Amino acid sequence: MITMDDIVREGHPVLRQVADEVSLPPSEEEKHTLTEMLQYLINSQDEEMAEKYNLRPGVGLAAPQIGLSKRMIAVHFTDFDEQEYSMGLFNPKIMSHSVEKTYLSTGEGCLSVDRDVPGYVPRYARITVKGTDLNGNEVKLRLKGYAAIVFQHEIDHLNGIMFYDHINKEDPFNVPENAKPAD
Ligand SMILES: Cc1nc(NNC(=O)[C@H](CC2CCCC2)CN(O)CO)c(F)c(N2CCN3CCOC[C@@H]3C2)n1
Ligand code: NI
């Protein structure tokens, strides 16, 4: 199982690389790894497992965070409309996005960042994502708000981008005029 010992921390070059496309169909090993990434999220949200294995809770995870520079992400969360997302995706790609932005009023954190970085992280309010799921099916997702934020955070990791790269350096709590909080 994946534990915090497997999560690389900021400063490791893999977090600043552009990850490689996974050639399709994914190998058994790639499918196993993506399944393990999803399992980490599920375990991390289970109080007993998180306590027992000292897991930081997570709603998303990207392969570079376990040292694997491949375009693979896993997400496990329920959004504010009670819509559940629990999936692994190969080669996720943002096909289109709104001009309008959104952000989490709590700011963001990252399993690869062992410090608090205060500030709003402006992200697209709505995105359309395409990718291939663990069953080898192509999926097309239209996401907004919280779900859009989580997927953007993960896809950023595949492009070597950390959440704090988006925070306004002069005024971390500056809100762009076209942005509304997701929560
Ligand atoms: C928002 C949130 N971020 C948590 N952690 N950070 C992460 O997931 C990072 C990714 C998220 C940071 C902002 C957007 C994506 C991991 N990242 O580094 C991957 O790249 C949480 F843990 C969390 N929740 C709320 C839901 N709760 C259900 C019950 O179980 C606990 C769980 C806690 N919400
Ligand atoms: Ni992260």
Side-chain angles (χ1 to χ4, degrees), residues 2-17:
I2 293 176
T3 68
M4 290 304 291
D5 296 342
D6 303 303
I7 307 265
V8 306
R9 307 302 157 90
E10 61 180 330
H12 192 297
V14 74
L15 291 174
R16 287 305 191 180
Q17 285 167 8

Side-chain angles (χ1 to χ4, degrees), residues 45 59-60 75-79 83-86 146-148 150-151:
Q45 295 184 24
V59 293
V75 299
H76 185 74
F77 65 89
T78 303
D79 73 7
Q83 170 80 37
E84 291 186 359
Y85 293 84
S86 185
Y146 183 85
V150 175
F151 275 79

Side-chain angles (χ1 to χ4, degrees), residues 45 57-60 65 104 108-111 146 150 153-154 157:
Q45 295 184 24
V59 293
Q65 294 183 275
L104 284 180
E108 294 186 15
C110 184
L111 295 176
Y146 183 85
V150 175
H153 179 113
E154 304 317 328
H157 276 304

